Amino acid sequence: MLYLVITMVITFAILEIKKIREERSWKDLLVALFLILAAFLYSIEIHFNLSFLPNPNRILFFVKPAGDAFMKLLGLS
Amino acid sequence: MAKDIINSNQFGILLLFLILGSAFIFVPEGIAGRDCWAASLIASLTGLYIISLTVNLQNRFPGLSIIEISTQVLGKPLGLALSLIYSWVVFLVGTLYMYDMLVLMVIIFPGLAETLLVILLIAASSYVLYRGINSLARLGEILLWIIIPLVLAAITVPFFTVANLQSLTPILASFKPVLAGVVFGSNWPYGEISLMAMLLPFVADLSKNKKTIYIWFFIGVIILVIRSLLVVAALGQELMGIVRFPLYEVLLLIRFSTFQRIELFFFIMWSITNFMAIILSHQSFVLCLKSLFSLKDYKTVIIPAGLCIAIFTLVMFPSDIEFMSVESFAAPFHNLPVHVLYPTLVWLAARFKAQSLSPGLSPGKQA
């Protein structure tokens, strides 16, 4: 898992870093690094079977009661 | 710049790929039982509403993305806040498409490593996006010639071999399941059409040929309605409700003399349409990031955004049992309000702003 992520990051560096330096688009680099960091941290979690980061799917669990209530209302639960 | 311009016909074809890629093999309105075809037909009005709203908005603000329009007409704080929610939903839809592809692939090839597959898919998707939106549109035009015969075969062959039309009766016996089916279908696939709003600024002839977009949309709707009819006629509503990929199960039933595994002929159709849906969601998410953070070039974030879609698919949906019991039921109530309300609010704000500025003078004309 980690090796694949690292391969993708190296590909990104080869394709983009020179262009970013020439165009001085530091904001683009900052956004890209933030996304890479998020992907890297979560891939560490998967690779080592850890659970130290919040799972974004919790947001879907918050709205599940609305789904349940809708199904109950229609008598389909 | 020329390679980032497409025409309405190409946009319409990409729209068809999004509709087919996200929902052709499934029956999202399956909760409606034997009337799922009616639910699919009614739910398509949501898609029609979103397309007409976003096309109208785009004609008023040519060249601007819906996120840029929202910050202009709603003000920066509110526009950015709503756009952030919209971008999150675009990202979530991308992970859902990736997960669907993953589950299908693992069912057909049980020994496949999920991690390797998501990275390979994202690497291929990133390559297409690096070639530019025009290349993506041309790819859609070429692949259409492969997909259309396969789609026609997938919906006609079972009709003459395994379908039992009596399973479709009684028609519309109860409205409650249909209503539930309409809600689920309105979100997936029709609500997800809101993703395509990010590609509209690249359509050069939108004001002249917008009718083409609606034609491709209606072709998609007709295919999905026939798909729903076919699945109920072949499997019956009970079996349809419990299987993961209803159309795949229908094609498994087909037998021609000694020929077996005919469903694998259609594998190319599923992989191409699903892959195109993944590319389109990846493209939309990248364009969302560009507009949100005012980036110079969207290509800088193609690989990082793709990497996030790949990794978060594995993190967010660790098991299919949890996915079917929680995420698939909760997603319509999380995503649908954003798919419908975000373009509606932006459109209303744009309309009020145009009226308050000067009657008869649209912001697009001022620019």
Side-chain angles (χ1 to χ4, degrees):
Chain A
M1 178 77 199
L2 272 177
Y3 300 119
L4 291 169
V5 174
I6 291 166
T7 311
M8 291 287 279
V9 174
I10 292 169
T11 314
F12 165 77
I14 293 167
L15 290 172
E16 295 297 332
I17 295 295
K18 193 181 168 195
K19 194 180 81 186
I20 289 170
R21 270 182 63 189
E22 279 172 4
E23 292 176 5
R24 296 182 166 273
S25 43
W26 306 120
K27 203 203 279 180
D28 296 27
L29 180 67
L30 207 65
V31 174
L33 285 178
F34 173 76
L35 294 170
I36 288 170
L37 184 71
F40 198 70
L41 285 174
Y42 276 95
S43 66
I44 288 173
E45 200 182 67
I46 297 170
H47 190 82
F48 295 107
N49 208 12
L50 302 169
S51 182
F52 62 93
L53 293 166
N55 194 328
N57 77 356
R58 295 297 110 183
I59 295 170
L60 292 174
F61 280 79
F62 282 129
V63 292
K64 190 168 182 288
D68 292 338
F70 175 73
M71 298 301 275
K72 207 172 173 182
L73 189 74
L74 295 178
L76 298 168
S77 57
Chain B
M1 190 64 196
K3 64 180 187 175
D4 273 350
I5 287 175
I6 59 174
N7 60 43
S8 297
N9 190 49
Q10 290 173 321
F11 180 87
I13 291 169
L14 291 178
L15 181 66
L16 178 72
F17 270 107
L18 186 85
I19 293 171
L20 294 183
S22 63
F24 188 49
I25 195 169
F26 308 91
V27 183
E29 317 81 12
I31 199 155
R34 69 172 70 87
D35 296 321
C36 61
W37 61 271
S40 182
L41 197 62
I42 299 167
S44 70
L45 295 175
T46 308
L48 187 65
Y49 171 75
I50 291 170
I51 292 175
S52 47
L53 217 59
T54 48
V55 166
N56 184 286
L57 202 57
Q58 201 60 58
N59 279 330
R60 285 161 176 251
F61 297 86
L64 292 182
S65 74
I66 192 165
I67 291 178
E68 288 160 344
I69 299 168
S70 77
T71 49
Q72 270 196 18
V73 298
L74 291 166
K76 213 162 185 183
L78 183 61
L80 277 179
L82 290 176
S83 301
L84 204 63
I85 297 169
Y86 170 72
S87 303
W88 156 249
V89 169
V90 169
F91 174 73
L92 187 65
V93 170
T95 60
L96 288 167
Y97 289 167
M98 180 64 88
Y99 182 71
D100 289 339
M101 179 87 166
L102 211 59
V103 175
L104 177 68
M105 288 285 201
V106 170
I107 284 176
I108 296 172
F109 305 112
L112 210 62
E114 290 181 5
T115 322
L116 184 64
L117 184 66
V118 288
I119 297 291
L120 281 177
L121 284 169
I122 279 303
S125 170
S126 301
Y127 175 76
V128 176
L129 299 197
Y130 263 107
R131 306 299 297 174
I133 290 169
N134 189 266
S135 298
L136 171 62
R138 284 190 198 178
L139 180 69
E141 280 181 313
I142 295 164
L143 292 177
L144 190 71
W145 292 100
I146 303 170
I147 292 306
I148 289 294
L150 287 169
V151 168
L152 288 176
I155 57 177
T156 50
V157 174
F159 246 121
F160 296 108
T161 51
V162 291
N164 174 17
L165 295 179
Q166 279 186 334
S167 306
L168 294 163
T169 56
I171 294 168
L172 299 172
S174 172
F175 82 95
K176 283 182 177 177
V178 177
L179 185 61
V182 168
V183 170
F184 280 81
S186 294
N187 174 56
W188 170 39
Y190 298 113
E192 290 167 359
I193 285 170
S194 74
L195 261 75
M196 296 296 285
M198 292 308 296
L199 269 77
L200 276 173
F202 299 94
V203 183
D205 59 344
L206 190 64
S207 51
K208 281 183 199 163
N209 297 324
K210 61 181 176 186
K211 209 195 289 179
T212 329
I213 297 171
Y214 292 101
I215 291 170
W216 284 111
F217 170 72
F218 285 120
I219 291 172
V221 172
I222 290 165
I223 292 171
L224 291 193
V225 171
I226 295 173
R227 179 274 334 256
S228 300
L229 278 167
L230 175 70
V231 168
V232 179
L235 298 180
Q237 63 169 344
E238 287 81 16
L239 189 56
M240 180 189 72
I242 55 170
V243 294
R244 186 71 170 82
F245 299 103
L247 190 64
Y248 176 69
E249 297 295 330
V250 171
L251 297 171
L252 271 173
L253 297 173
I254 302 170
R255 293 278 183 277
F256 285 122
S257 182
T258 53
F259 281 106
Q260 289 187 339
R261 304 297 311 265
I262 286 170
E263 83 285 354
L264 289 180
F265 281 110
F266 299 97
F267 180 70
I268 190 163
M269 173 186 74
W270 290 319
S271 47
I272 287 174
T273 52
N274 275 13
F275 181 57
M276 284 298 280
I278 290 169
I279 296 175
L280 287 167
S281 60
H282 187 183
Q283 177 76 75
S284 296
F285 181 53
V286 164
L287 291 172
C288 281
L289 289 171
K290 182 188 181 285
S291 297
L292 264 180
F293 299 105
S294 310
L295 304 181
K296 279 184 185 169
D297 187 4
Y298 72 82
K299 287 181 180 171
T300 317
V301 288
I302 287 175
I303 292 178
L307 209 51
C308 275
I309 291 175
I311 301 299
F312 279 83
T313 302
L314 299 172
V315 170
M316 286 166 72
F317 313 117
S319 94
D320 204 37
I321 297 167
E322 185 192 290
F323 178 81
M324 291 307 285
S325 59
V326 181
E327 281 97 349
S328 65
F329 270 91
F333 302 92
H334 175 271
N335 296 358
L336 185 59
V338 180
H339 290 315
V340 175
L341 290 177
Y342 179 68
T344 307
L345 282 173
V346 178
W347 185 83
L348 283 173
R351 200 171 165 81
F352 284 130
K353 197 167 184 183
Q355 279 175 355
S356 65
L357 281 172
S358 166
L361 187 67
S362 77
K365 283 174 188 166
Q366 290 170 58

